[in-house]
Amino acid sequence: MIDVQRLAVLREVSRRGSFNQAALALHCTPSAVSQQIAALERGLGAPVVERSTRGVTLTDAGRLLVEAADAIAAELTDTQQRITRLTAERTTLTVATFASGGRRLLPAALAGFAAEHPEVELTILEAEPEESLPAVREGRADLALAYHLEGPPPARPGDRSGLDWTQLGEDPLRVVLPRHHPAAARYRSRPEAPHLAELADQRWILGCRKSADQLARYADLAGVELRISCTATDYEFAQSLVRAGIGIALIPEIGLARHPELVALPLAEPSPRRHLGLALARRRRGRVARLAEELASRLAGGAEEEAKPRRARTALARPPVDGSTRRADGGYFGYVVRQQQQEVSAAADAVAAATDDPPGWTRRR
């Protein structure tokens, strides 16, 4: 039989990366941690960690045990939460969200939910995905509004994440410039979006450290090195620096300030973006689970409504196929004319290949 307490020690070692740091978190000595791990290995008949001067890493057996430990911890936390709710006078629902998504998407959904369920006590936690997703998995939150960058979503059907993930949509990152910036004026007269390499000579202001990492990856793809003036932790602050003329910024569309002195432009593909979604615990049950699902449904509907004006602005921004441009509301400009021209040309070529050109046929180019 595997000792649950030793599993908890291994889980902490995995999280901290060393016996010393795990001992600090567990309020014991490194020797005690080492003894617990050694006893766990003897009982299993297999090593669970590899020790080195740089710390410890998990073996394959250790990774399996930590996955089991995570599941056990999440079940125990969820059970404790359910017992607490059984004895509480009011039902509580805890929602974790990242700041820009919460500011734009949460209020309307929460207002409707609170009006329909006045007996439910709502708790909102501001947290980035690396904090909010474990909170849902471990039962400390019932629902998370989160995002991921490139790559697969944080949870997929049948995986070991313990989460159900619902994709809400994309949140493309925009280049934000002062309205009278020379680059803003230059791209007003162009039908296509700027490439990152064309803005390499600008000073950049980043709204968060994650966007700094993401921008660095795309700069590498473009073969340029960007000059960073500031890495902030708040998109509003970053855009205030843009208004002051300190530099230009890369801001998720959902975090745009819509200020009359700013212009937000898309980047030519491949362009950076975030993927928004909702996370629920896979093993949810009871009334709180049903309430979390209802709020998730409201959020999904709100996200769809929020996307409609953005899609309308994008449609307004698209210039006619002849290449002329027209300005869009909110500072967005036509940036897909080249794609449209390619689509029209390809369609004409397909028709010509399939049939002889009739009299008077003129291909659009």
Side-chain angles (χ1 to χ4, degrees):
M1 178 68 69
I2 297 174
D3 188 287
V4 176
Q5 181 60 37
R6 290 169 184 161
L7 270 184
V9 174
L10 178 63
R11 184 168 180 256
E12 203 62 45
V13 169
S14 173
R15 293 175 62 188
R16 307 291 175 175
S18 73
F19 287 173
N20 288 340
Q21 292 300 317
L24 287 174
L26 295 169
H27 306 290
C28 63
T29 65
S31 176
V33 171
S34 180
Q35 290 172 15
Q36 290 289 324
I37 297 301
L40 181 60
E41 290 176 326
R42 285 195 302 272
L44 288 171
V48 296
V49 297
E50 293 179 352
R51 299 160 177 82
S52 72
T53 56
R54 294 176 303 216
V56 295
T57 56
L58 296 176
T59 64
D60 289 342
R63 281 188 284 274
L64 286 174
L65 282 177
V66 169
E67 288 179 1
D70 287 341
I72 291 170
E75 282 292 309
L76 290 174
T77 303
D78 178 65
T79 300
Q80 179 64 58
Q81 294 281 350
R82 292 169 61 205
I83 292 172
T84 300
R85 286 163 176 159
L86 284 174
T87 59
E89 294 182 1
R90 300 190 67 184
T91 300
T92 61
L93 187 69
T94 301
V95 181
T97 180
F98 63 103
S100 56
R103 182 169 55 247
R104 186 66 67 85
L105 299 177
L106 264 185
L110 290 177
F113 181 88
E116 190 165 329
H117 300 283
E119 78 287 357
V120 176
E121 184 174 304
L122 288 165
T123 300
I124 313 301
L125 306 176
E126 182 182 336
E128 286 296 299
E130 58 267 25
E131 300 170 347
S132 64
L133 297 180
V136 172
R137 183 169 51 246
E138 296 168 8
R140 292 180 283 112
D142 302 298
L143 170 67
L145 174 60
Y147 64 88
H148 69 95
L149 303 178
E150 296 92 348
R156 287 178 286 187
D159 67 11
R160 295 174 177 267
S161 68
L163 300 172
D164 286 332
W165 175 263
T166 301
Q167 191 80 9
L168 293 182
E170 292 186 345
D171 184 21
L173 275 67
R174 304 302 193 193
V175 179
V176 179
L177 309 93
R179 180 167 295 281
H180 301 295
H181 191 287
R186 183 164 68 247
Y187 292 116
R188 284 193 184 99
S189 61
R190 291 177 46 173
E192 68 272 5
H195 288 269
L196 187 59
E198 299 176 80
L199 300 169
D201 60 337
Q202 301 294 314
R203 299 288 293 179
W204 286 82
I205 299 163
L206 303 177
C208 74
R209 289 177 176 82
K210 286 182 182 177
S211 64
D213 295 338
Q214 196 174 22
L215 183 59
R217 287 194 293 274
Y218 279 85
D220 287 341
L221 289 174
V224 297
E225 185 174 347
L226 302 181
R227 299 181 299 158
I228 308 300
S229 293
C230 175
T231 300
T233 57
D234 179 79
Y235 293 129
E236 293 283 348
F237 175 49
Q239 290 170 95
S240 72
L241 295 180
V242 174
R243 292 199 304 272
I246 306 302
I248 66 176
L250 191 68
I251 305 293
E253 190 171 72
I254 207 170
L256 292 177
R258 315 287 185 194
H259 195 281
E261 295 302 314
L262 297 177
V263 170
L265 299 174
L267 277 173
E269 297 293 344
S271 59
R273 65 197 66 230
R274 303 189 299 186
H275 303 271
L276 308 184
L278 296 169
L280 289 163
R282 188 167 293 163
R283 298 181 179 180
R284 58 189 181 272
R285 59 184 72 86
R287 181 169 186 260
V288 171
R290 291 192 295 273
L291 291 171
E293 290 168 355
E294 178 185 333
L295 181 55
S297 178
R298 289 177 179 270
L299 278 166
E304 175 63 23
E305 290 300 314
E306 173 69 22
K308 287 180 180 178
R310 297 205 301 272
R311 287 197 293 266
R313 282 194 296 271
T314 300
L316 286 172
R318 291 177 178 171
V321 177
D322 63 10
S324 63
T325 61
R326 51 197 170 113
R327 182 171 170 178
D329 294 338
Y332 290 87
F333 305 98
Y335 63 94
V336 294
V337 63
R338 191 158 51 193
Q339 293 173 322
Q340 289 180 315
Q341 289 171 331
Q342 291 172 347
E343 291 169 2
V344 171
S345 179
D349 289 341
V351 171
T355 62
D356 292 331
D357 288 347
W361 172 271
T362 302
R363 262 186 225 177
R364 296 180 66 187
R365 291 289 187 184

